[in-house]
């Protein structure tokens, strides 16, 4: 199965989220690094800096 | 755009955790070659990715693990390994993984005691895992991750105490996400989003009340299932991780079987099964890969994914980070039964 087939089968509305919403700045860690403690501390080495 | 990449070094593992996303792989002991792993790293380096998460299966038993970590260091890419910790019960391995350049070891611990942990991992693993956490804490940063399920969610507090006692800097929790494969979708021992919300709310409330700054919760369920005041307070204290790299295209997964995956939880559900041809990566360089990533099937995948799961999401100010919860939940549950469900609060 392709990922496209899979996502096609998910329940959803017919409404496409606007680009502004899904690209909006976040106040939370979205880096998926599973335990990063550097978020929001201003550490320039942390890749969790906001988009 | 791309920030992180995962390499599933292989699906082989000493444990057989219930609910593991690798279950459909039957934990095949087929490892990626060092040469292919280096080609992936080269291309991701050219794409300016700055973090690599080494995962499996069990990545620590990959025969060339130290060489890969050293290669990542050579490329100035942060390396994180997500492990069951068992190999690191040997101090030499714990020391070597950090001296090779790993930035953080994340160890999966599934119970407060050997009865629960061994039951969930389906083997006698508890003592080695605890010893592994302790040894890693001697040489570098170690965090723990507990996958909350019907089997251990009541133990979250005791697991946190144990993890801290063993030396974990951060104690994190996520929920079992449905395991996806071409043939089946399963959520064995998984908490449905409403049950997960109740446990997560307890964790966050306690973390706030007792100022447990080392707690992190990966909020893979819809944010509207958590009391908003509690959620906002927890976000301010940096206790919550939200969002999904799939929506932004900020992360990509390569596995050991020539596959490109949107997320490690996809098993044989693929973006591409054609990563290598005759031993060489099909993309000549980072620019070539980015062109594919931005314009071809990954782009279509993101467009299809980026649709509101429920009408209640449309005006929600948290959509951008919540995205209606992990989409994989909705392969097993109906979003209409959970999104904006007041009773869970």
């Amino acid at each position: 199965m392709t990922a496209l087939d899979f996502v096609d089968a998910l329940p959803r509305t017919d409404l496409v989220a606007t680009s502004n919403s899904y690209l909006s700045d976040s106040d939370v860690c979205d880096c998926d690094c599973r335990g990063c403690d550097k978020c929001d501390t201003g550490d320039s080495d942390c890749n969790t800096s906001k988009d | 755009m791309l920030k992180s990449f995962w390499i599933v070094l292989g699906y082989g593992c000493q444990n057989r955790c219930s609910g593991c996303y690798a279950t459909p792989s039957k934990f095949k002991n087929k490892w990626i070659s060092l040469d292919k792993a280096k080609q992936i790293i080269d291309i991701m380096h050219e794409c300016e990715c700055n973090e690599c998460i080494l995962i499996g299966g069990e990545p620590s038993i990959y025969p060339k693990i130290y060489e890969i970590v050293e290669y990542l260091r050579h490329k100035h890419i942060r390396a994180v390994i997500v492990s069951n910790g068992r190999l690191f019960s040997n101090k030499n391995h714990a020391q070597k993984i950090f001296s090779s350049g790993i930035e953080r070891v994340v160890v999966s611990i599934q119970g407060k005691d050997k009865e629960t942990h061994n039951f969930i991992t389906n083997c006698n693993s508890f003592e080695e895992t605890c010893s592994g956490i302790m040894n890693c804490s001697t040489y570098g940063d170690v965090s723990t991750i507990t996958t909350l399920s019907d089997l251990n969610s009541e133990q979250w507090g005791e697991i946190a105490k144990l993890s801290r006692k063993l030396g974990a800097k951060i104690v994190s929790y996520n929920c079992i996400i449905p395991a996806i494969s071409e043939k089946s979708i399963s959520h064995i021992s998984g908490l449905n989003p409403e049950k997960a919300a109740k446990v997560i709310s307890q964790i966050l409330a306690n973390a706030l009340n007792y100022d447990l700054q080392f707690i992190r919760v990966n909020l893979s369920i819809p944010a509207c299932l958590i009391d908003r005041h509690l959620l906002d307070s927890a976000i301010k204290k940096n206790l919550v991780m939200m969002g999904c790299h799939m929506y932004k295209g900020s992360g990509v997964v390569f596995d050991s079987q020539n596959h490109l995956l949107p997320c490690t939880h996809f098993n044989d559900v693929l973006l591409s099964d054609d990563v290598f041809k005759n031993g060489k990566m099909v993309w000549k360089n980072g620019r070539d890969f980015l062109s594919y990533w931005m314009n071809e099937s990954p782009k279509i995948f993101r467009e299809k994914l980026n649709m509101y799961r429920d009408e209640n999401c449309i005006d929600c100010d948290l959509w951008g980070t919540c995205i209606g919860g992990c989409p994989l939940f909705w392969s097993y549950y109906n979003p209409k039964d959970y999104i904006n469900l007041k009773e869970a609060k």
Side-chain angles (χ1 to χ4, degrees):
Chain A
M1 185 195 282
T2 71
L4 295 181
D5 294 335
F6 172 81
V7 79
D8 259 343
L10 289 177
R12 64 184 185 209
T13 67
D14 292 329
L15 297 162
V16 177
T18 64
S19 59
N20 280 342
S21 64
Y22 81 91
L23 291 175
S24 64
D25 284 346
S26 161
D27 287 328
V28 293
C29 171
D30 69 346
C31 71
D32 273 327
C33 65
R34 306 191 188 205
C36 177
D37 61 338
K38 294 179 181 172
C39 314
D40 295 330
T41 63
D43 187 319
S44 58
D45 289 331
C46 179
N47 80 331
T48 61
S49 56
K50 310 302 178 284
D51 284 341
Chain B
M1 183 185 210
L2 268 172
K3 295 193 295 188
S4 306
F5 63 107
W6 284 252
I7 305 180
V8 179
L9 297 173
Y11 288 106
C13 183
Q14 314 99 312
N15 293 0
R16 290 292 181 272
C17 300
S18 57
C20 176
Y21 62 78
T23 305
S25 75
K26 297 183 179 150
F27 304 98
K28 279 178 204 155
N29 213 5
K30 182 185 170 192
W31 302 108
I32 192 167
S33 71
L34 182 61
D35 175 60
K36 284 182 176 177
K38 282 184 172 179
Q39 288 185 55
I40 292 169
I41 293 166
D42 287 342
I43 294 278
M44 291 296 99
H45 179 248
E46 289 176 17
C47 294
E48 299 185 355
C49 281
N50 58 9
E51 180 181 58
C52 175
I53 298 118
L54 300 170
I55 200 163
E58 174 49 43
S60 69
I61 59 174
Y62 173 63
K64 303 282 184 186
I65 185 65
Y66 303 116
E67 286 89 337
I68 286 205
V69 175
E70 279 167 5
Y71 195 69
L72 286 163
R73 177 167 63 182
H74 168 69
K75 292 283 182 180
H76 303 289
I77 294 172
R78 296 170 59 209
V80 176
I81 186 167
V82 182
S83 168
N84 61 35
R86 294 180 64 181
L87 192 77
F88 303 127
S89 61
N90 177 322
K91 281 188 180 174
N92 290 335
H93 284 296
Q95 183 173 26
K96 201 168 174 189
I97 198 74
F98 284 104
S99 64
S100 302
I102 209 83
E103 178 164 310
R104 183 186 311 109
V105 175
V106 182
V107 177
S108 145
I109 184 157
Q110 302 302 342
K112 64 170 183 169
D113 51 30
K114 72 176 179 185
E115 285 72 26
T116 313
H117 183 87
N118 289 352
F119 183 77
I120 292 174
T121 60
N122 273 300
C123 58
N124 191 13
S125 56
F126 182 71
E127 282 162 12
E128 284 182 355
T129 292
C130 289
S131 177
I133 297 168
M134 204 154 49
N135 287 341
C136 285
S137 74
T138 306
Y139 300 107
D141 270 9
V142 59
S143 305
T144 60
I145 178 108
T146 299
T147 306
L148 298 167
S149 70
D150 271 333
L151 304 171
N152 64 3
S153 61
E154 290 178 357
Q155 298 182 9
W156 71 266
E158 287 152 302
I159 293 170
K161 277 185 201 164
L162 173 65
S163 299
R164 291 288 282 176
K165 191 176 153 194
L166 294 169
K169 195 171 172 187
I170 297 292
V171 176
S172 56
Y173 302 92
N174 61 10
C175 296
I176 293 187
I177 304 290
I180 311 297
S181 76
E182 185 164 10
K183 290 180 185 161
S184 66
I185 298 170
S186 62
H187 200 211
I188 297 164
S189 310
L191 300 168
N192 71 36
E194 184 183 5
K195 280 186 181 176
K198 286 181 177 167
V199 178
I200 288 169
S201 298
Q202 270 181 25
I203 297 173
L204 294 179
N206 277 277
L208 286 167
N209 285 343
Y210 297 103
D211 198 23
L212 309 177
Q213 294 176 27
F214 54 84
I215 294 282
R216 298 288 182 277
V217 175
N218 194 343
L219 195 75
S220 47
I221 56 167
C224 54
L225 292 174
I226 308 291
D227 174 81
R228 185 59 187 265
H229 176 70
L230 174 64
L231 183 66
D232 286 345
S233 305
I235 287 172
K236 271 187 198 161
K237 289 284 186 181
N238 198 25
L239 301 172
V240 180
M241 295 181 279
M242 285 169 79
C244 171
H245 63 87
M246 293 195 299
Y247 283 74
K248 295 180 182 177
S250 60
V252 61
V253 180
F254 298 88
D255 79 3
S256 56
Q257 314 200 33
N258 216 18
H259 299 154
L260 188 73
L261 312 173
C263 165
T264 53
H265 287 83
F266 287 67
N267 210 280
D268 47 8
V269 178
L270 316 170
L271 281 172
S272 167
D273 61 357
D274 210 13
V275 171
F276 290 91
K277 268 188 186 164
N278 302 320
K280 294 289 170 199
M281 220 165 167
V282 294
W283 302 283
K284 290 178 193 132
N285 50 42
R287 196 171 161 184
D288 200 16
F289 181 83
L290 280 178
S291 172
Y292 161 79
W293 190 248
M294 302 287 280
N295 299 303
E296 297 184 40
S297 60
K299 182 191 179 200
I300 299 167
F301 175 79
R302 289 192 294 276
E303 286 173 351
K304 286 175 180 284
L305 200 57
N306 190 41
M307 304 193 65
Y308 295 115
R309 293 288 144 221
D310 186 85
E311 282 81 4
N312 283 306
C313 296
I314 295 169
D315 296 321
C316 178
D317 64 333
L318 282 174
W319 166 262
T321 46
C322 166
I323 41 87
C326 170
L328 299 192
F329 266 116
W330 312 129
S331 64
Y332 195 83
Y333 298 101
N334 186 344
K336 287 197 178 304
D337 294 337
Y338 294 99
I339 290 180
N340 211 28
L341 179 72
K342 305 295 180 193
E343 287 77 6
K345 291 181 178 175

